[in-house]
Amino acid sequence: MSDAPPRPAFLPTDVRHSLPMALLRAREAVMARFRPMLDRHGVNEQQWRVLRVLAEAEELDATQVAARASILAPSLTRMAKSMAERGLIARRKDAGDARRVLLRLAPAGEAVLRTAASESRALTEALIAEFGAERTAALIDHLNALAALGSEAALRAADRAGHEARDAGDG
Amino acid sequence: MSDAPPRPAFLPTDVRHSLPMALLRAREAVMARFRPMLDRHGVNEQQWRVLRVLAEAEELDATQVAARASILAPSLTRMAKSMAERGLIARRKDAGDARRVLLRLAPAGEAVLRTAASESRALTEALIAEFGAERTAALIDHLNALAALGSEAALRAADRAGHEARDAGDG
DNA sequence: CCCGTTTCATTAACTCGTTAAGTTAAAGGC
DNA sequence: GCCTTTAACTTAACGAGTTAATGAAACGGG
């Protein structure tokens, strides 16, 4: 409390109550718990996401993997190369559409999932136990609802609001 | 629904209901709304966080800025250099402790905050209007509580749980 | 059938995240 | 007053995020 000196009046929103920053901090705190486990299994956070997405589908093209794992296409291109070299995943070209690259789990990737699954579940359950089961479920629902807002119409509306505010705000 | 083929039984948690991934997707959705505004003002997301942190304090050392903006020290070192060159912030050494580097807003940084503040507020208010004021406040509270869990004792407990599960799980 | 358009993937360039190691300065023990 | 330890930053190296541009293949009129 002692370090809140005369605040300039022009700042946007208090950092303490900013939704983007709250999301960032929460994610960091959660990932800090999972990172040691992933390190032990030789994969990073993004590779782990790719493996899990592929575990839920037989075979997917790169665009779908990127969308489901929340990874951008250029990142996935780099990752797929190194993961294929390590035997975590397998790549092949789509016979019907030569633009597409199809990805699937390879044995080493299945092995990582298999041996990490129990640890991952334990960490998840420990977190849920600390934070509360109902509270966690509700939080995930809210987060998914928030993510679902980010569709085209909403984005345009937000952009218009920005322009209007800029006209009216600080003349 | 048609793309959920025979799921291998060894996967950790359904990607749809994973808390880390929900946090990631929600943050992406929110930031997608703010990014065009930040682009117009010539700063990226991390620089914006630094500016806002400095706007809330007269002068802070690098460690405190990093902590409040959720930026790692090596990243802040790089950023402080380029932001100082652009006149967004000012750097000076602490007279009493020659290890410390003190950061404060410079005129160009104040100008960015001043001209972007109204747009930022408009975007924030638009988001709150869409998502619901009470719901947003509750969400931020939950996220802060979640972030607060990530303290030392909790981390050690989670790590122990991981080891136990590995022993018991797939021998 | 051809040509403009769209889609999928890749490459490139830059910045940040992350870890580890190195530098300099302050603190503490004896 | 040294000498070890700790703290604050910096540097380096590598991978991922982001944007823009390119390449290649499919699509869709005309």
Side-chain angles (χ1 to χ4, degrees):
Chain A
M1 300 296 175
S2 59
D3 52 11
R7 262 173 76 184
F10 54 80
L11 55 156
T13 310
D14 179 6
V15 155
R16 293 271 131 203
H17 305 116
S18 156
L19 182 55
M21 297 216 32
L23 288 164
L24 181 60
R25 285 192 301 263
R27 211 188 110 74
E28 285 172 358
V30 171
M31 286 316 300
R33 294 162 170 256
F34 285 87
R35 212 181 297 277
M37 181 273 287
L38 296 177
D39 281 350
R40 282 196 293 272
H41 293 276
V43 295
N44 63 24
E45 186 187 323
Q46 293 83 1
Q47 291 169 337
W48 178 245
R49 294 210 301 271
V50 169
L51 292 179
R52 287 173 62 182
V53 164
L54 290 178
E56 293 177 4
E58 278 298 314
E59 195 172 42
L60 292 174
D61 64 50
T63 297
Q64 286 181 331
V65 172
R68 297 188 191 191
S70 290
I71 289 172
L72 293 175
S75 296
L76 186 58
T77 296
R78 288 182 300 228
M79 291 174 60
K81 185 164 181 285
S82 69
M83 291 178 77
E85 288 170 355
R86 285 181 55 190
L88 294 172
I89 64 174
R91 281 190 301 181
R92 71 183 186 89
K93 292 209 167 175
D94 187 330
D97 185 342
R99 295 170 302 181
R100 283 189 165 77
V101 174
L102 300 177
L103 305 179
R104 63 162 57 213
L105 274 183
E110 290 181 16
V112 168
L113 282 169
R114 214 180 296 272
T115 60
S118 60
E119 287 181 67
S120 173
R121 272 194 299 268
L123 288 168
T124 299
E125 282 164 18
L127 179 59
I128 291 175
E130 285 178 58
F131 194 67
E134 296 173 14
R135 205 179 177 196
T136 305
L139 177 57
I140 291 179
D141 283 346
H142 284 312
L143 291 171
N144 286 337
L146 186 58
L149 281 188
S151 310
E152 314 95 50
L155 281 175
R156 280 197 299 275
D159 202 43
R160 275 197 305 276
H163 285 299
E164 289 165 9
R166 190 169 46 165
D167 294 345
D170 45 64
Chain B
M1 302 297 173
S2 58
D3 51 12
R7 260 172 79 183
F10 55 80
L11 55 152
T13 312
D14 179 4
V15 155
R16 291 273 129 202
H17 303 116
S18 155
L19 182 55
M21 298 216 31
L23 287 164
L24 182 60
R25 285 193 301 263
R27 211 188 110 74
E28 284 172 359
V30 171
M31 286 316 301
R33 293 164 170 254
F34 286 86
R35 212 181 298 277
M37 181 272 288
L38 296 178
D39 281 350
R40 281 196 293 271
H41 293 276
V43 295
N44 64 25
E45 184 186 330
Q46 292 85 0
Q47 292 168 338
W48 178 245
R49 293 209 301 272
V50 169
L51 292 179
R52 287 173 61 183
V53 164
L54 290 179
E56 293 177 4
E58 277 300 313
E59 195 171 43
L60 291 174
D61 64 51
T63 298
Q64 287 181 330
V65 173
R68 298 188 190 189
S70 289
I71 288 172
L72 294 176
S75 296
L76 186 58
T77 295
R78 288 182 301 229
M79 289 174 62
K81 184 166 183 284
S82 69
M83 290 179 78
E85 287 169 357
R86 285 182 55 192
L88 294 171
I89 65 173
R91 280 189 301 180
R92 71 181 186 91
K93 291 207 168 175
D94 187 329
D97 186 340
R99 294 171 303 180
R100 283 191 164 75
V101 174
L102 300 178
L103 305 180
R104 63 162 57 214
L105 274 183
E110 290 181 16
V112 169
L113 281 169
R114 213 180 296 271
T115 60
S118 60
E119 287 180 65
S120 174
R121 272 195 298 268
L123 289 167
T124 299
E125 282 165 17
L127 178 59
I128 291 175
E130 284 177 59
F131 194 66
E134 295 174 16
R135 207 180 177 196
T136 304
L139 177 57
I140 291 179
D141 284 346
H142 285 313
L143 291 171
N144 286 338
L146 186 58
L149 281 188
S151 311
E152 316 93 50
L155 281 175
R156 279 197 299 276
D159 201 45
R160 275 198 305 278
H163 285 298
E164 288 164 11
R166 188 170 49 167
D167 294 343
D170 45 70

